[in-house]
């Protein structure tokens, strides 16, 4: 994967990578998901000619949870509402936050820090990989992004910097050894009706090896 592999250090005050099995209250996974890591990379550098793939996740800070309460919108716009409004030429399409706000509890992560190793695949074989590699590295060095990267929720902003893979620090002592984190969201299969796919996340000395998205270890 010459000229396509990158490594980044990510850190922030809070993070919430919501478990889909929790229906009402938000409860975060123990660590960042591959889909959230991909979202950070795409926020920095997205092009239709490439696809980001996460290879490894390094957990560099102890896993700490905290309870908070957040203001959220209580409902969502029904699909039939916009259709009816478009047909009739009038109607209420938006949601007024002040009229539809409620507080919900959330269990989030605090003081998170990760290093992610990833690579990109060329979707257009006429493209040269070095061009995208250099553009991505330059944008990281200047702190440029298309939108502010975040850790699961937009209010939990993500800081980032270039990281040499050879200089990735060791994990804290509390994360040494093997820890089975259970099934975790890998990513969404947008080509199969937005089907979520999961994998068994096992952390060895703070490092999680992420299987290929279409590999046998990834289940729907």
């Amino acid at each position: 994967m010459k000229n396509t592999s990158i490594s980044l250090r990510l850190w922030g005050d809070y993070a919430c990578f919501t478990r889909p099995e929790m229906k009402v209250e938000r409860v975060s996974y123990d660590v960042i998901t591959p889909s959230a890591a991909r979202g950070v990379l795409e926020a920095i550098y997205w092009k239709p000619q490439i696809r980001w793939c996460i290879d490894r996740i390094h957990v560099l800070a102890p896993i700490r949870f905290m309870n908070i309460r957040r203001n959220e919108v209580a409902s969502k716009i029904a699909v039939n509402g916009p259709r009816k409004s478009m047909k009739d030429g009038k109607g209420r399409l938006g949601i007024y936050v002040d009229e539809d706000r409620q507080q919900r509890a959330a269990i989030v992560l605090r003081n998170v820090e990760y290093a992610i190793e990833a690579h990109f695949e060329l979707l257009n074989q006429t493209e040269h990989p070095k061009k995208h590699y250099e553009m991505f590295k330059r944008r990281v060095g200047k702190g440029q992004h298309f939108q502010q990267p975040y850790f699961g929720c937009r209010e939990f902003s993500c800081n980032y910097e270039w990281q040499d893979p050879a200089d990735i620090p060791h994990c804290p002592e509390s994360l040494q050894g093997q820890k089975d984190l259970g099934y975790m969201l890998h990513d969404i299969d947008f080509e199969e009706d937005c089907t979520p796919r999961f994998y068994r996340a096992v952390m060895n000395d703070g490092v999680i090896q992420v299987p290929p998205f279409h590999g046998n270890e990834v289940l729907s």
Side-chain angles (χ1 to χ4, degrees), residues 60-126:
L60 305 180
I63 299 173
R64 297 189 178 99
F65 290 94
M66 67 177 295
N67 295 311
I68 64 172
R69 298 191 70 84
R70 304 169 64 245
N71 290 328
E72 295 192 12
V73 176
S75 60
K76 59 184 179 180
I77 298 176
V79 176
N80 291 333
R83 289 176 179 171
K84 186 175 185 301
S85 298
M86 292 173 65
K87 182 179 179 180
D88 298 342
K90 61 181 180 178
R92 184 174 176 176
L93 294 177
I95 292 178
Y96 295 92
V97 176
D98 292 339
E99 301 175 5
D100 201 28
R101 179 188 292 138
Q102 66 176 214
Q103 281 199 336
R104 291 179 178 172
I107 300 178
V108 304
L109 298 165
R110 62 185 179 92
N111 299 329
V112 297
E113 182 179 354
Y114 308 104
I116 58 172
E117 294 183 75
H119 71 278
F120 60 85
E121 298 176 349
L122 292 175
L123 303 181
N124 184 346
Q125 296 305 317
T126 62

Side-chain angles (χ1 to χ4, degrees), residues 170-182:
H170 296 293
C171 70
E173 185 177 349
S174 60
L175 299 182
Q176 292 180 1
Q178 185 178 90
K179 297 182 184 295
D180 189 343
L181 303 179

Side-chain angles (χ1 to χ4, degrees), residues 12-76:
D13 296 331
Y14 303 100
C16 183
F17 310 110
T18 306
R19 292 178 176 270
E21 63 267 26
M22 303 301 177
K23 300 298 184 183
V24 178
E25 313 296 352
R26 290 184 183 271
V27 179
S28 177
Y29 283 114
D30 295 57
V31 299
I32 188 172
T33 62
S35 61
R38 174 183 58 79
V40 171
L41 297 178
E42 290 182 346
I44 299 171
Y45 183 75
W46 178 88
K47 292 291 181 182
Q49 299 95 333
I50 67 172
R51 174 173 54 223
W52 288 106
C53 303
I54 307 301
D55 300 315
R56 277 171 295 279
I57 296 171
H58 300 254
V59 185
L60 305 180
I63 299 173
R64 297 189 178 99
F65 290 94
M66 67 177 295
N67 295 311
I68 64 172
R69 298 191 70 84
R70 304 169 64 245
N71 290 328
E72 295 192 12
V73 176
S75 60
K76 59 184 179 180

